[in-house]
Amino acid sequence: MAKKVKPENWDSPALALSGGGFRATLYHCGALMRLNELGYLTKITRFSSVSGGSITSGMLAAAWPRLKVENGMVTNLDAEVIAPLRAFCRRSIDTMAVGWGAVLPGKSIGDVLADAYDDMFKKITLQDLPDSPQFVFDATNLQTGRLVRLMKKRLADFTIGEIRNPQVRVAVAVAASSAFPPVLSPVDIKVDPKSWVELDGAIHHGDPAYTRTLSLTGGGAYDNLGLESIDDFSTVIVSDAGAPFGTEETASTLWPQQAMRALDIATDQARALRKRLLFAQCAAEDRLAVYSGIDSNPAEYPAAQTLNPDLAFTTKLARMRTRLDPFSDQEQGRLINWGWLMMDVAMRSYVTKQAPPPSSLPLPKYPLR
């Protein structure tokens, strides 16, 4: 077995931003805000993202060259990242993509989705992103069933190989990562078959059936937490806005409902296994895992707290829709506050232990109750 090679900057922190549509996009906005206030956002050397998390990460990546840093904190995060994301989350993206993708000649739903993202990303490519930190947009290859990493340094499916320095628009990478199946996918990326570099174990390398066009769906189909791209860093921070699993008193006898229920069960088990594996590996290897979940209870963390949200209320936030449709200012404000508060509690519990507990929410107009 080949020796596992540590990633670049493995001894620095990495951040995973989960999927979950616009709900996740907004929850992660709050997480970024609190990480910045704690002086930690600028320490992160790799961002791994899925679906709604990739919308947030994509905006951060696109804005990175314009960010101003003083004393380890970004002073214009709201203007360059949060405000544009909030404006985008007031739009009806999924309905528009499906509608226009069905009628525009030569355009697929995935193409229209990517074009909508270009309103934020201005047609920049992965090559326009910074070398550091690294931004990894995670998608799923429908052909191989494996994770596809899209980043400045490479596009990789380890069963096929890698393409170095890929000329892919950021909007296309984010669209592929957030192409919720089956409505918004696939996002097809045509590549030069000769551009693939073989990797160990690349069983499909050189096979034209896999090396000409990548048919991609949302990264959540493979890893909704975005952990696989960062799970060997010394400090792994996770912002998870994925859908919490719920029980049902009565099982449906209708085949479609049973199929969806079985898919929900399988997805929940996959997420739970990834989380358990992450914590087990980190404990065994003396690494640190920090988890902030949209369905978490702050009282279960050791950090001192002065803000006590209503758990009945935050449970409703955790079950909010994951559509890419308009979120009201109130919905946005409460999701941002919740992502901010949970990241605060998680970070002060395990990383920034000396930081005092905050006395107010960043958006006090939208209380968590």
Side-chain angles (χ1 to χ4, degrees), residues 90-129:
R90 296 186 183 100
R91 297 175 54 182
S92 181
I93 299 300
D94 51 11
T95 302
M96 179 273 299
V98 172
W100 285 113
V103 300
L104 288 177
K107 288 278 190 179
S108 67
I109 292 173
D111 293 334
V112 176
L113 182 64
D115 289 345
Y117 289 143
D118 258 332
D119 291 345
M120 287 193 296
F121 306 136
K122 311 301 181 186
K123 299 187 183 301
I124 64 172
T125 73
L126 294 174
Q127 298 311 304
D128 295 311
L129 300 185

Side-chain angles (χ1 to χ4, degrees), residues 69-89:
V69 180
E70 295 181 8
N71 299 319
M73 289 178 55
V74 177
T75 59
N76 58 342
L77 183 69
D78 183 75
E80 295 290 349
V81 179
I82 307 303
L85 284 169
R86 293 193 65 179
F88 193 73
C89 289

Side-chain angles (χ1 to χ4, degrees), residues 321-341:
R321 66 195 182 282
T322 57
R323 292 270 311 274
L324 302 182
D325 68 355
F327 276 60
S328 68
D329 286 349
Q330 183 179 82
E331 291 173 323
Q332 291 191 19
R334 284 172 168 161
L335 282 168
I336 290 172
N337 277 342
W338 187 223
W340 180 92
L341 180 59

